[in-house]
Amino acid sequence: MQTVSDYFGSMVFDDRIMKARLSESIYRSLKKTIEEGTRLDISVANAVAEAMKEWAIELGATHYTHWFQPLTGITAEKHDSFISPAPDGRVIMEFSGKELIKGEPDASSFPSGGIRATFEARGYTAWDPTSYAFIKGKTLCIPTAFCSYGGEALDKKTPLLRSMQALSKQALRILKLFGNEDVKVVRTSVGPEQEYFLIPKELYDKRKDLIYTGRTLFGAKPPKGQEMNDHYFGSIKPRVEAYMQDLNAELWKLGILAKTEHNEVAPAQHELAPIYSTTNIATDHNQLTMEIMQKVARKHDLVCLLHEKPFAGVNGSGKHNNWSIATDTGVNLLAPGSTPYENAQFLLFLCAVIKAVDDYQDLLRLAVATAGNDHRLGANEAPPAVISIFLGDELNAILDAIENEKPYKDVVKTKMKLGVDVLPEFRKDTTDRNRTSPFAFTGNKFEFRMLGSSNSIACANIMLNSAVAESLKIFADRLENSTDFNTDLHELIKETIKAHKRIIFNGNGYDDAWIKEAVENRGLSNLRTTPDAMPHLLDKKNVDMLTSHKVYSETELKARCEIMLDNYCKTVQIEANTMVDMANRQILPAVSAFAAELAQTAAAKQSVNPALTCQYEGDLVKTLSTLTDQIAERTKQLEKAIIQVQTIEGIEAQSCEIRDLLLGKMASLREVCDEAETLTSEKYWPFPTYGDLLFGVR
Ligand code: ADP
Ligand code: MG
């Protein structure tokens, strides 16, 4: 039998394969490009392309594609076959270096936020050699960046790579100050924990809301929900276990380090976590993971729901972005060290993150803002929309001691002087588990918990990397001019703690009192919805920061803001239209038919015995008739609102109106429909209920 280590990465053109299939000199040039970003010579590209093609064909591939991540948030691919006609009427399989390096998809239908007029359809894809090529089905997939004719990024990978570069540049300046001369590159790593729901396919197929929008728009509360918490870490059902095994095997073949799996809080909810990797790779892998989760589910007659809030009243799904910074020499800069210097360096990086999160709360918030995630944040199941940092008691006490120049516990009796005293070795305290914090320090990394399950992790990491690069730049500018490094470092750390400690909060993030305290006393921002958050992308301070680190151009930022708001508007409008359709064509006819049957039953009974009151039927018919009238009325109002919001000029104003008007009308229609569901015979109800969906996998 094949073991995991036999087939792990078998579909990846990874270092092992490169070494085996490329000549020594080609391998070295490619490696240099991967590690140092040097330009790739066309002769090298040709050789690599040839080797890739041979390898892919041996594994059954017939096509290749430039695989990229347009701003839709999912991945895109256009397949070309390797075939090329030969003079004798047969075909040969060809793939050139040029085809490997650059593609020109007709990309007119990808969102560009006005950057690329649709008549100028050309967009370019450019090979990202830092992410390995892989085979999916019969296709060799080449990870690429996607940009416009004028060079503006139209994807998520390009700014992500730029943000990693910005952070590396500034971190290297800091490391030099601490005498680390041998570090060449600093990289951020991410381990994204992915939540999802699994439901039976035959039930999914009966729900238009799931099909069109990925979430249920109707559904009364089932008799049992998640109140018993008996699903969390519960034993995994055989059908789900078979799915997970199959999924793991598919992911492992693609070199994805799927590691942990367990049941989550809600019934039918699960989680998958990989071992962390470099942010760029982790992002590619998370996109692939989401795609493969859905594909494998189909094979098991299941559907994998990645929506942030598939079911009202039941926990939604998020994605925890575990993030750290490490050198190419293998040092995690967010891990406390064992010498005074390492500790001072750690504290400086820690302060850089604290400052970054405080200064750019809005960017972090908007990076995770989508119509779907708006249902989770602040709904007492996920962190609030207010961003704060959890550090844990021990680290908090250390920062407090530094800020106030006072002794730290018994360990350091006199006041601490960085660079001189050894900080106590702080343990990764297992009691330090604050699940309600949006941004928690977990011993040697930060866990950003606000991402939605369907989000690409690119956006959050672009903002995080850039904001931290900015803090590090400010620190480096100051310390590079210092004549007394130790004293100035100490002062800088002290000042940073003082200036930014408002962002640190170790209590319960779900508590309403915290939101009040955060907003009223601490002045933290509370951007509750996507229309509130997204426009801040264009605030001067944010544009200045992101353009100065060359992560985005101003044009790219404007385009992104436009696209994200447009996406919000379209998402909610599709949901509203789906509700109208389901109410008019499924719910109303069903409830009305049931009422008619009740009336007929009553009439039949009374024809036998006119003295019968038929109270049950009579009362219910009355209640159902009132409800159907209300449903019909509210559906009409929703239809009117849909038309009204379309007349509003300007995407920002439109998104606000969609949030204020449309979402309200949708909720009010749902309310009466859900009530009708609880009173309508199972036989008549036109689609599976919450109970069916949540407990359907047995
Ligand atoms: P949890 O208790 O939240 O599930 P785990 O310790 O299981 O936390 O780790 C969750 C994720 O964090 C995993 O994907 C893991 O690979 C990742 N992780 C661990 N160390 C780091 C690190 N230094 N940088 C980034 N991610 C990391
Ligand atoms: Mg976690």
Side-chain angles (χ1 to χ4, degrees):
M1 204 185 91
Q2 262 207 330
T3 65
V4 176
S5 40
D6 291 334
Y7 67 79
F8 185 87
S10 58
M11 292 296 164
V12 186
F13 194 77
D14 58 15
D15 197 60
R16 204 176 31 160
I17 305 289
M18 289 179 198
K19 230 184 226 147
R21 290 180 173 248
L22 298 173
S23 74
E24 176 70 29
S25 71
I26 298 286
Y27 173 76
R28 255 188 291 123
S29 316
L30 179 59
K31 214 49 194 167
K32 210 166 144 65
T33 300
I34 293 173
E35 278 163 14
E36 293 165 37
T38 47
R39 266 187 95 82
L40 199 68
D41 191 77
I42 186 71
S43 63
V44 177
N46 278 330
V48 175
E50 182 63 23
M52 256 187 205
K53 181 199 72 183
E54 290 301 319
W55 167 80
I57 289 173
E58 283 167 32
L59 289 167
T62 53
H63 289 66
Y64 73 92
T65 183
H66 276 196
W67 185 75
F68 58 103
Q69 298 167 29
L71 297 168
T72 48
I74 50 170
T75 57
E77 44 197 77
K78 173 188 151 219
H79 297 185
D80 282 301
S81 73
F82 291 120
I83 63 164
S84 171
D88 60 0
R90 293 188 307 164
V91 291
I92 49 169
M93 303 296 260
E94 274 190 343
F95 184 48
S96 70
K98 210 172 126 244
E99 287 167 310
L100 166 65
I101 292 179
K102 192 168 143 192
E104 259 184 70
D106 172 5
S108 48
S109 295
F110 291 113
S112 75
I115 285 182
R116 178 175 30 68
T118 29
F119 61 81
E120 175 47 275
R122 260 185 303 178
Y124 290 109
T125 48
W127 181 31
D128 165 20
T130 64
S131 183
Y132 296 137
F134 56 90
I135 295 170
K136 200 169 54 138
K138 300 240 171 262
T139 306
L140 168 66
C141 299
I142 298 147
T144 55
F146 178 44
C147 59
S148 76
Y149 189 66
E152 280 102 358
L154 293 173
D155 69 347
K156 304 203 175 194
K157 185 189 267 283
T158 309
L160 180 66
L161 290 169
R162 292 177 187 156
S163 75
M164 291 173 69
Q165 217 164 37
L167 187 135
S168 178
K169 184 172 154 194
Q170 303 303 333
L172 287 175
R173 290 174 65 193
I174 298 285
L175 289 173
K176 259 206 186 78
L177 292 170
F178 283 89
N180 298 308
E181 299 282 349
D182 51 338
V183 178
K184 282 209 204 68
V185 187
V186 168
R187 294 193 183 92
T188 55
S189 355
V190 170
E193 300 165 57
Q194 175 75 50
E195 291 181 340
Y196 61 99
F197 280 85
L198 276 183
I199 60 168
K201 172 142 189 333
E202 72 269 18
L203 301 184
Y204 170 92
D205 286 340
K206 293 188 183 131
R207 299 242 4 175
K208 293 194 205 185
D209 45 7
L210 286 176
I211 294 171
Y212 294 140
T213 74
R215 73 175 180 112
T216 55
L217 300 166
F218 298 102
K221 201 175 160 335
K224 180 181 172 181
Q226 65 185 48
E227 45 281 276
M228 306 286 285
N229 275 332
D230 50 357
H231 191 253
Y232 192 51
F233 279 51
S235 78
I236 299 173
K237 297 189 182 95
R239 194 165 167 203
V240 175
E241 196 173 334
Y243 165 77
M244 286 176 171
Q245 267 172 17
D246 207 2
L247 174 62
N248 282 337
E250 291 303 316
L251 295 175
W252 289 337
K253 279 188 218 163
L254 288 168
I256 297 174
L257 295 156
K259 171 88 174 163
T260 314
E261 56 207 15
H262 60 78
N263 287 351
E264 262 299 332
V265 174
Q269 193 184 28
H270 312 279
E271 180 185 296
L272 177 133
I275 296 172
Y276 68 96
S277 51
T278 304
T279 308
N280 175 32
I281 313 275
T283 305
D284 285 358
H285 281 179
N286 184 247
Q287 293 297 129
L288 266 178
T289 300
M290 290 195 283
E291 181 183 329
I292 290 166
M293 283 169 112
Q294 289 171 305
K295 261 196 194 140
V296 173
R298 296 289 164 133
K299 277 204 279 180
H300 292 254
D301 290 322
L302 297 166
V303 173
C304 168
L305 302 177
L306 289 171
H307 194 283
E308 283 74 21
K309 193 72 181 172
F311 305 100
V314 173
N315 274 9
S317 299
K319 184 137 60 186
H320 291 175
N321 190 82
N322 294 274
W323 176 92
S324 68
I325 320 173
T327 67
D328 58 348
T329 52
V331 179
N332 179 350
L333 298 170
L334 293 178
S338 50
T339 67
Y341 254 57
E342 281 171 2
N343 273 328
Q345 183 182 293
F346 159 71
L347 281 175
L348 190 63
F349 277 97
L350 183 76
C351 282
V353 178
I354 293 172
K355 177 176 163 55
V357 174
D358 188 25
D359 286 342
Y360 297 99
Q361 297 162 45
D362 46 0
L363 285 182
L364 291 174
R365 167 65 186 95
L366 68 87
V368 301
T370 59
N373 216 15
D374 281 2
H375 297 292
R376 280 177 73 238
L377 299 178
N380 282 351
E381 56 164 72
V386 176
I387 299 195
S388 63
I389 299 181
F390 170 84
L391 288 179
D393 293 340
E394 187 135 32
L395 203 45
N396 220 40
I398 291 171
L399 295 193
D400 187 46
I402 297 172
E403 185 202 345
N404 299 304
E405 312 238 322
K406 64 182 192 198
Y408 170 70
K409 285 191 187 166
D410 304 331
V411 193
V412 181
K413 294 238 166 44
T414 52
K415 73 178 189 194
M416 253 189 313
K417 185 106 168 73
L418 291 165
V420 183
D421 293 321
V422 183
L423 283 181
E425 252 190 68
F426 22 109
R427 288 155 293 119
K428 228 175 132 175
D429 195 343
T430 41
T431 60
D432 270 356
R433 281 258 158 216
N434 183 327
R435 293 271 162 203
T436 65
S437 175
F439 203 91
F441 184 70
T442 51
N444 60 358
K445 61 185 187 290
F446 277 97
E447 185 168 351
F448 184 27
R449 301 208 180 102
M450 289 171 82
L451 286 77
S453 47
S454 70
N455 283 171
S456 155
I457 62 170
C459 302
N461 288 294
I462 292 167
M463 296 311 173
L464 192 50
N465 293 343
S466 307
V468 174
E470 173 70 8
S471 303
L472 293 172
K473 175 181 175 290
I474 292 170
F475 290 177
D477 286 349
R478 186 159 146 184
L479 293 173
E480 277 169 355
N481 291 318
S482 156
T483 46
D484 179 355
F485 182 70
N486 278 350
T487 306
D488 290 347
L489 173 67
H490 187 91
E491 273 311 303
L492 175 60
I493 290 181
K494 212 175 99 180
E495 273 175 38
T496 308
I497 298 168
K498 235 190 212 16
H500 298 287
K501 67 176 177 191
R502 64 169 187 163
I503 198 79
I504 299 168
F505 176 64
N506 292 300
N508 179 4
Y510 293 180
D511 195 344
D512 287 340
W514 158 238
I515 304 301
K516 203 166 134 62
E517 146 89 11
V519 176
E520 289 173 15
N521 301 341
R522 302 197 188 195
L524 300 178
S525 70
N526 184 15
L527 301 169
R528 297 193 43 247
T529 64
T530 303
D532 291 321
M534 206 50 78
H536 288 284
L537 186 57
L538 301 180
D539 287 359
K540 185 168 180 316
K541 84 170 202 328
N542 295 334
V543 174
D544 285 351
M545 187 275 279
L546 291 165
T547 54
S548 76
H549 289 282
K550 302 198 164 45
V551 173
Y552 286 112
S553 69
E554 194 163 351
T555 315
E556 288 168 353
L557 285 171
K558 285 196 180 130
R560 266 159 180 77
C561 186
E562 171 100 16
I563 290 167
M564 297 314 286
L565 285 174
D566 185 57
N567 189 291
Y568 175 87
C569 292
K570 284 184 179 142
T571 304
V572 182
Q573 282 172 300
I574 292 169
E575 290 176 350
N577 281 319
T578 305
M579 286 187 90
V580 168
D581 183 82
M582 289 171 78
N584 278 337
R585 298 175 54 217
Q586 294 187 290
I587 298 174
L588 282 169
V591 182
S592 172
F594 176 51
E597 190 197 281
L598 286 170
Q600 274 169 17
T601 308
K605 282 191 191 170
Q606 281 164 340
S607 72
V608 177
N609 179 357
L612 290 173
T613 59
C614 295
Q615 186 133 2
Y616 160 68
E617 290 87 354
D619 286 353
L620 194 47
V621 168
K622 264 187 243 151
T623 310
L624 290 175
S625 298
T626 310
L627 279 170
T628 43
D629 287 349
Q630 283 172 323
I631 295 171
E633 172 56 27
R634 293 183 190 193
T635 307
K636 276 204 201 85
Q637 281 185 18
L638 180 56
E639 281 177 285
K640 233 171 74 193
I642 293 171
I643 293 166
Q644 192 186 322
V645 297
Q646 282 163 0
T647 62
I648 295 170
E649 295 276 339
I651 196 74
E652 216 180 301
Q654 196 186 42
S655 69
C656 289
E657 191 65 6
I658 282 179
R659 173 197 59 199
D660 298 336
L661 182 70
L662 225 48
L663 287 178
K665 299 266 184 243
M666 286 161 66
S668 109
L669 171 58
R670 177 177 182 151
E671 189 190 14
V672 275
C673 291
D674 288 358
E675 196 183 335
E677 182 194 320
T678 63
L679 299 172
T680 302
S681 156
E682 275 183 10
K683 208 175 73 188
Y684 279 87
W685 196 250
F687 39 75
T689 64
Y690 268 30
D692 301 332
L693 295 168
L694 290 167
F695 297 94
V697 177
R698 279 185 280 267

